[in-house]
Amino acid sequence: MSDVQTFLDRLAERNAQRGREPTWIAARRQAGAARFEALGFPTRRDEAWKYTDVRAIARGDFALADDAEFSPATAAALTLPIDAHRLTFVDGVFSASLSQLDGLPSGVALLPLSRALEENHEAVGGPLGRLTGVEFSPFSALNTAFTEEGAVVRLAPGTVVEKPIVLQFLSRAGDQPVMSHPRILIEAAGRSQATVIEHHIGEEAAANFTNLVEEVMLDRGAILTHYKLQEAPLADLHVASIHVEQGRDSTYTSFNLNLGGSLVRTDLISELNGQGATANFYGLFYGQGRQHVDSHTLANHNAPHTYSNENYKGILDDRAHGVFNGKVVVKRDSQKIEGYQSNANLLLSDRAEIDAKPELEIYADDVKCSHGSTTGQLDEEAIFALRTRGIDRQTARGLLTLAFAGEVLEEVDVDTISERVELAVAGKLPERFNLAGLVEAAVALDDE
Amino acid sequence: MASQEMEELVRRDYKEGFVTDIESDTLPPGLDEDVIAFISNKKGEPAWMLEWRLEAYRKWLKMTPPSWAHLDYPPIDYQSISYFSAPKRDEDKPQSLDEVDPKLLETYEKLGIPLHERAALAGVAVDAVFDSVSVATTFKETLGEAGVIFCSISEAIREYPELIKQYLGTVVPVTDNYFAALNSAVFTDGSFVFVPKGVTCPMELSTYFRINAANTGQFERTLIICEEGAQVSYLEGCTAPMRDENQLHAAVVELVTLDDAYIKYSTVQNWYPGDEDGKGGIYNFVTKRGDCRGDRSRISWTQVETGSAITWKYPSCVLRGKDSIGEFYSVAVTNGRQQADTGTKMIHIGEGTRSSIISKGISAGRSNQSYRGLVKIGPRAKGARNFTQCDSLLIGDTCGAHTFPYQEIGNSTATVEHEATTSKIGEDQLFYCQSRGISEEDAVSMIVNGFCKDVFQELPMEFAVEAEALLSVTLEGAVG
Amino acid sequence: MLEVKDLYVTVEGNEILKGLTLTINAGEVHAIMGPNGAGKSTLSAVIAGKDGYEVTSGSITFEGQDVLEMEVEERALAGMLLGFQYPVEIPGVKNIYLLKAALNAKRSANGQEDIPAPEFMKLIKEKIAEMKMDASFLQRSVNEGFSGGEKKRNEILQMLVLQPRLAMLDEIDSGLDIDAMKVVADGVNSLRDAERAILLVTHYQRLLDYIVPDRVHVLVDGRIVKSGDAELAKKLEAHGYDWVEEGSAA
């Protein structure tokens, strides 16, 4: 049986269990399945997947979860300690008990996709799939075929949400690996403002496959900060594509923080359609063991006076493999563009590998675009300066490696996240760096 | 600056467009094993060479043309191309410049390259290729005294078969890519240079390639070998007359350096780019690769690319020897409907290998230009370093400039740095120059030359002058 | 405590120090003065162990140990600490990390446990107040975006926390306004005690009004040409370095 057939069979089983659903959903499901069947899983001969081998997914046999049972104590330990509005999904299934939806301010709708469909499926059918159909990749086609749950966030014009909105995805350990195909749909109307924290985490022994498609629409003047904190269990497989559409004067800021998962691929695409729109892409990935972390970003400058700014950093140890592919495209007549891209990587081991491809594709002349990509060594002068304070060479290297990650974390406004990631990075750094206890003290001092 | 003036500024006519009327001994269009046998026979090649060609041809038949480049051109009909043309007096080659067909010398005059003068003045040995056959080789004696072999590849196949067997196709394997395979099957001429151990070639070597016969593809094959401690600087320049039909060019250049050897390879390429609608330009699919086999050896590519309708070219270095060095310096100018996809590959295999890449792209008119580069650091390349600087300048709002650098890094002690910028000529820079009394045209020329300075300074002196002149021609007749 | 004997040092093939000899005992404050290019900064860099300085002959010992045989961090752990003229910016490394890592390295070298967090915080707060610095400095990256004065205060703060046996201060007064200089001088003076030595390297006498040295050495062309007490600095101020050079030539 072919890899593709396994998935199609699962789809057929699921479809047989499904009740009646709106015709548009069924039609898309069918289109997704047809597209997936036609494309098959990508191979390394596909330019966009040149450095990423997805056979671990293709050869898997994943069931679909039917319930959202999860130990409340474990969930509490995994949940970000942050005062937030929260939707929680367990292996893709909505968990009302682990969500926190009381006290939602007016102008904010936060609900699971299934409920949004029940309430008014036509209101969902318009935006869902508008930014990405089944063409984007075999994974987006697969997601469309399986679409049933996810998160819907709607912000009314002028709404400023004080507390962050957390979208929590828990991965459960079990006898049979499961897959989920969640959708995230964020519609931020004019001048609305919010912080969305997408948090992927789970039980250590889990080995599930998450195939996520996100659509984010920012209307005129909307400001959205989007954290994707990926701390999935180390055997989890994670593929996500995030499609953003930006209207005039909107600002979308993405933090793509990848710490977990065995095979992780994220595509982040922003369409800068309105003048004055700004996209900020920040990323940090840390790979160890045999982790594979692939980040693809694309800023499409479709209108004049649009700005993109990108800074991705990667640290790779052991036999980890990192991929960074960033692209800035400036369309014809999109003048007065600024597009900046920076990527830096550190390899801590001789068996680690990074493949970087920072691209520019420019069809207008009045632009300021640049990219820089470096993979290399720590600053010897800084190492010397630290050693003159009695710090040994390895610890100095550790401090500077932590500092390397710190340059992205400095941009993070949510202290809970920056401290958590810094602690995680410090904890992941090889023991030879001797950093134990250091970050904790700093965090403690800051909290005082 | 008004956009109209800017348009004026980048418009130019092809200066080198004319047709020399020399009868050619040309094969009818088409390619099969008989054609290859004909070529091999014409060249007086041994049987093993024909076998090598046929093997390449059979492999080529099974290959498909590459589609990954950022280029748009109609499929090439390889059966509509003639694979051999030579001046009529093939069997009776001129032994000195006096014996050269006066029309050929006239051609060089029109190009502003008076061969005899230039050769004498610059002390350059010239192996002028006209319609795929060498017609003049000078200074052979001086080179002979130093032990340097400099001859056409056909002559080398006949005279130095052991060297050819040892090196040909070892840097660019027959099946390396579609065009390299085709070249291996049908190459008609090109240069062979062999610099023995410890010898510094006493003069710069130069070849002028020209394409002249209609419907004739040109398939040059160049092989340069520097033994231990040897050094050579090789200059290649190309211009072509105006033609209606697209002309295919698929050259292969192979360089080999042994321990402590150094090859500097410079190119000025100014082939016919096609008319304003892009009609009739040269298709240039070139495979150039250097193999730093020896420790501490060094290969340096410098190119100034202003011509051709389609350019597909990635002069590369395989840094095998410990502490070997690869360099790539490039200026590419595209205008009209020209399309260029060019760059380099630096493959770091040995310990302590270093490479630097400086690429300057200038796009004007409705042209599109891409830098495509690969820096690969293998697991054994301890302490390897690469620095890449890749800048694009856009003139006018209908052109495109693209950057596709690939970095594959598998060693923690490596340092790889890549920087790229894309911008237009700064209004403030133009204004500053003009406020100092410099005309707009001169100011643009100055700024563009300044933009390319890092590359021009890598060219041998006489080439640097030619390259700057070429840029000025590109930007000439602008303001008015 | 510190003995430098007939030291010759070359940098990139140029001989900078040409037979320098200097002895500093515990409890003393020494000032090395000299014109630009005399080799003042080279001396402190060599003692700290910076790369690129080749000792061609001579010796440096610290409490009997051969300094030139020691790693950079071993020198610091032995108690020699250099305050830089131009402290390097280390983006992303928080001051608090540097202080804690350095202090724990020192404690570990002395066979002590890591400092408990509350004790560390108490110590840091006390020292930071002493240097009239804001607590937010601790969470900022080392020297990044600091003004010249802030960088120098930060150097002294590290001295106060790490309590070196020999504090070497290279042009610690450069770029300081008078208020900042007083804070820095107070900090340095607070380090003065019978067990500790301080080596000041300076171009100007001004600093020595605030930190009065026991001995003043004039370094010219890689050698100490004149030594004396604090009065010597005043004479230099009045007559300039030419006076010494003429005097030594005569």
Side-chain angles (χ1 to χ4, degrees), chain B residues 46-88:
Chain B
W48 59 264
M49 195 64 222
L50 173 61
E51 221 20 73
W52 196 82
R53 285 175 181 275
L54 289 173
E55 201 187 315
Y57 173 70
R58 288 166 198 147
K59 283 179 174 155
W60 174 75
L61 284 175
K62 292 187 189 129
M63 297 169 82
T64 49
S67 58
W68 40 259
H70 198 279
L71 299 171
D72 183 21
Y73 57 94
I76 297 165
D77 179 0
Y78 292 91
Q79 294 303 335
S80 72
I81 294 166
S82 165
Y83 288 85
F84 188 81
S85 78
K88 203 174 177 184

Side-chain angles (χ1 to χ4, degrees), chain A residues 289-349:
Chain A
R290 283 175 174 269
Q291 277 181 288
H292 179 101
V293 193
D294 181 347
S295 301
H296 272 57
T297 69
L298 170 59
N300 268 325
H301 291 265
N302 303 322
H305 295 279
T306 48
Y307 313 97
S308 67
N309 175 37
E310 171 159 27
N311 189 7
Y312 264 67
K313 300 222 163 191
I315 303 172
L316 297 160
D317 198 1
D318 305 328
R319 305 186 68 168
H321 185 182
V323 181
F324 169 78
N325 187 327
K327 189 169 187 174
V328 174
V329 177
V330 178
K331 297 273 158 68
R332 184 136 292 156
D333 299 326
S334 292
Q335 301 290 7
K336 308 283 180 196
I337 299 295
E338 291 181 29
Y340 302 106
Q341 210 188 70
S342 163
N343 162 239
N345 308 296
L346 276 180
L347 300 182
L348 304 182
S349 136

Side-chain angles (χ1 to χ4, degrees), chain C residues 119-137:
Chain C
E119 197 181 315
F120 176 67
M121 279 182 244
K122 184 166 165 284
L123 174 76
I124 292 295
K125 281 180 184 162
E126 183 188 310
K127 300 301 182 189
I128 206 164
E130 213 172 300
M131 289 312 294
K132 300 189 168 54
M133 291 163 83
D134 190 272
S136 66
F137 267 80

